[in-house]
Amino acid sequence: MPAAGSAFAQLHQYLHHTRLLGSISSALYYDQNTVMPAAGAAWRGDQLALLAGQLHERQSSAEFGDLLAAAEAELGAELGADAPPERRRNLELLRLELERQRSLDPQLVQALAKAQSRGNAIWQDARARNDFSAFAPALLELIALRRQQASQLVSAEPMARSPWEILAQPFEPDISKTRLEQLFAPLKAELPVLLEQVAAMGNPQPAADLPEALQEQLCAELLDSWGYDPQRCQRARSAHPFSCTLGPQDFRITTRVVPGQPLSAFLATAHEWGHSLYEQGLPRGDDHFFPWPLGEATSMGVHESQSLFWECRVARSQAFAERWHPRFQAGLGADPWGGARGFWRSLNPPAPGLIRVEADELSYCLHIVLRFELELALLEQDMPVEDLPQQWNQRMQELLGIQPQTDSQGCLQDIHWAEGLFGYFPSYALGHLISAQLAEAMETDLGGPGAIAGAIAAGQEERLRSWLAMGVWPLGRAVNGEELVRQVSGRPLSAEPFLQYLKFKLELLQAPA
């Protein structure tokens, strides 16, 4: 930790206060999406706007600039080329963020916060009533504000980027449309072919639903078995599952019970707990990394790789199904799956679905391609907002061979656009690719092919967690997402490991019982 009274120590204290404000905003957001009554939306919007303005002021102030400049000078004067790389990296990231914040109009920052809160509330109502026309004006406002934000951020970008690319930087540092198109091209080419192969397999469903109380019980048992600590963690219900961190010892996740989807809550719990495990494992134990940038997540793609690892590689695995099938059977007092293999197939329904968060692994990335292409159309190609439902349905038919019957099942299903989070969706697909490549490296280190399944079968998920805790989580923002993959796996990020994993799993699903 920097010496008391040093420029670094003063900067640390300033950042600590900034983090406190940010955590208050996160707490209000968590409350808004869990227990806040609907009538509180307008006041909550004012609260969040006030905090957003105060945060922006702190992150762009002359005082912050002076403290950062003093720390930069201190680093150069005292240590020069021998400066610890983590300190240099922290200051580089802070300088980049300062320049970005300084480029933004404070009035725009507050207008965005209000529009996000308002859009969230309008979306929830419009989705419940299947009324896109009620949401369209809020979406139009958010698009206009985000375009304005991108135009202001241009001056702070270290290289030329399009409006969409600028908005994507907070989620996926250094990403470009060209790179995404390179990574997505094999998915668009091969995933529809795999979907055709499974079309004849049918979509097995359990013969009986799972009572809500049993779903909650099983979710709690899963969390307990994966290290849930009630002194530091909390699970609640929300319209859309999410994970958030309110402080260095305060981790929250939410899930939901979906009628007609008896395994949804269980898998969502695995997914969101994967996010939380990553947050709990980031390099924040040393005071130097909290509240400094290096203690933050590498990228949202890496974040998603962690949640998808626990949901798909672990909770949807055959070894896991064999261990947990008796618990589900005992809780229900019946076996509608006809054994562990049937239960495993129900965890992995081999058919494209309409809802992204319920999608099988084969079709999931096509859901992301759909949203990525529509975001580009809305933000950079002047597609009218009112055309979104029709374009959504048309492109879903082209990519997945299905169409929603309602907008609630289509363009209203996700919360992201209701909060103006353009540039976020590709991280979900990148998460699948990163997860597959990291899993290959994990298997090599743990004994070769089958090592992950072997650990799960033995109830030794802690071995998997330990590997991630040693090789992935400590990197924080020392690298970007692609650099992390290259460092851990020894080669550039590619779609190939993910596609190979899918093909192998499909062979297992198609094999005779």
Side-chain angles (χ1 to χ4, degrees), residues 432-451:
H432 271 296
L433 306 191
I434 294 170
S435 176
Q437 204 150 324
L438 294 182
E440 281 192 350
M442 180 187 289
E443 293 224 303
T444 298
D445 290 346
L446 295 183

Side-chain angles (χ1 to χ4, degrees), residues 193 274 299:
V193 177
S299 73

Side-chain angles (χ1 to χ4, degrees), residues 311-384:
E311 176 196 350
C312 299
R313 293 297 178 126
V314 182
R316 291 183 187 264
S317 71
Q318 191 166 10
F320 188 87
E322 289 172 355
R323 273 182 49 221
W324 277 75
H325 169 251
R327 295 194 191 210
F328 278 76
Q329 181 181 0
L332 191 59
D335 185 7
W337 305 281
R341 179 174 172 80
F343 176 59
W344 174 56
R345 284 173 59 86
S346 289
L347 286 167
N348 296 274
L354 295 169
I355 307 301
R356 176 186 63 84
V357 296
E358 314 294 345
D360 66 292
E361 292 172 279
L362 283 175
S363 62
Y364 186 94
C365 287
L366 295 178
H367 282 266
I368 303 308
V369 170
L370 167 77
R371 287 153 175 78
F372 171 54
E373 293 178 347
L374 286 172
E375 282 191 358
L376 293 179
L378 287 166
L379 284 162
E380 298 187 356
Q381 299 163 14
D382 295 321
M383 185 183 89

Side-chain angles (χ1 to χ4, degrees), residues 16-321:
H16 178 73
H17 288 164
T18 303
R19 285 294 179 116
L20 287 173
L21 275 176
S23 69
I24 294 169
S25 181
S26 295
L28 290 174
Y29 175 83
Y30 178 81
D31 175 85
Q32 179 182 23
N33 285 280
T34 53
V35 296
M36 187 192 79
W43 185 257
R44 181 55 44 86
D46 289 342
Q47 291 174 316
L48 291 171
L50 175 64
L51 285 169
Q54 292 178 348
L55 276 167
H56 176 254
E57 183 178 353
R58 286 189 65 83
Q59 292 169 325
S60 60
S61 70
E63 180 184 4
F64 180 34
D66 291 343
L67 288 170
L68 179 56
E72 291 168 334
E74 182 177 82
L75 185 71
E78 293 184 4
L79 299 170
D82 295 326
E86 64 272 11
R87 285 199 187 183
R88 191 177 298 281
R89 178 63 172 164
N90 270 323
L91 294 184
E92 289 173 354
L93 292 168
L94 288 171
R95 173 61 63 182
L96 176 60
E97 186 57 28
L98 173 62
E99 296 306 320
R100 284 175 173 168
Q101 291 295 328
R102 281 180 166 174
S103 70
L104 294 174
D105 180 350
Q107 291 185 336
L108 173 63
V109 172
Q110 293 197 43
L112 264 168
K114 284 190 175 182
Q116 287 177 293
S117 181
R118 184 167 56 249
N120 185 317
I122 293 172
W123 165 78
Q124 292 198 41
D125 179 66
R127 180 170 171 247
R129 295 190 293 110
N130 186 38
D131 185 2
F132 177 78
S133 63
F135 174 62
L139 178 58
L140 187 63
E141 179 188 22
L142 285 161
I143 290 171
L145 289 171
R146 287 301 189 190
R147 281 175 171 166
Q148 190 177 344
Q149 182 187 36
S151 69
Q152 292 181 8
L153 286 168
V154 165
S155 62
E157 289 300 312
M159 64 191 327
R161 291 188 169 110
S162 76
W164 184 91
E165 289 172 332
I166 290 173
L167 295 176
Q169 293 309 302
F171 312 118
E172 212 61 42
D174 306 317
I175 199 64
S176 70
K177 293 185 294 184
T178 299
R179 180 58 175 144
L180 285 172
E181 287 162 358
Q182 290 172 348
L183 291 168
F184 288 175
L187 303 178
K188 290 181 68 174
E190 297 196 42
L191 290 179
V193 177
L194 296 179
L195 286 173
E196 289 180 6
Q197 292 179 19
V198 304
M201 290 176 58
N203 186 15
Q205 294 292 330
D209 203 350
L210 297 180
E212 185 171 325
L214 177 57
Q215 293 189 48
E216 290 287 349
Q217 173 192 326
L218 291 165
C219 288
E221 290 179 9
L222 176 67
L223 290 174
D224 287 341
S225 72
W226 283 358
Y228 180 88
D229 179 359
Q231 296 298 313
R232 304 167 68 235
C233 309
Q234 184 189 56
R235 177 171 65 96
R237 300 274 287 272
S238 66
H240 191 99
F242 68 94
S243 169
C244 66
T245 298
L246 304 190
Q249 297 294 329
D250 188 349
F251 305 97
R252 313 290 181 95
I253 68 168
T254 73
T255 55
R256 65 182 180 188
V257 173
V258 182
Q261 297 285 340
L263 300 176
S264 172
F266 189 77
L267 292 171
T269 299
H271 183 100
E272 298 306 333
W273 186 239
H275 278 304
S276 191
L277 284 175
Y278 180 42
E279 286 286 317
Q280 294 172 55
L282 285 168
R284 294 167 175 165
D286 185 335
D287 190 57
H288 183 65
F289 294 114
F290 193 90
W292 298 84
L294 283 186
E296 299 171 352
T298 303
S299 73
M300 287 312 302
V302 174
H303 227 308
E304 287 300 325
S305 78
Q306 301 309 288
S307 59
L308 290 167
F309 176 83
W310 290 99
E311 176 196 350
C312 299
R313 293 297 178 126
V314 182
R316 291 183 187 264
S317 71
Q318 191 166 10
F320 188 87

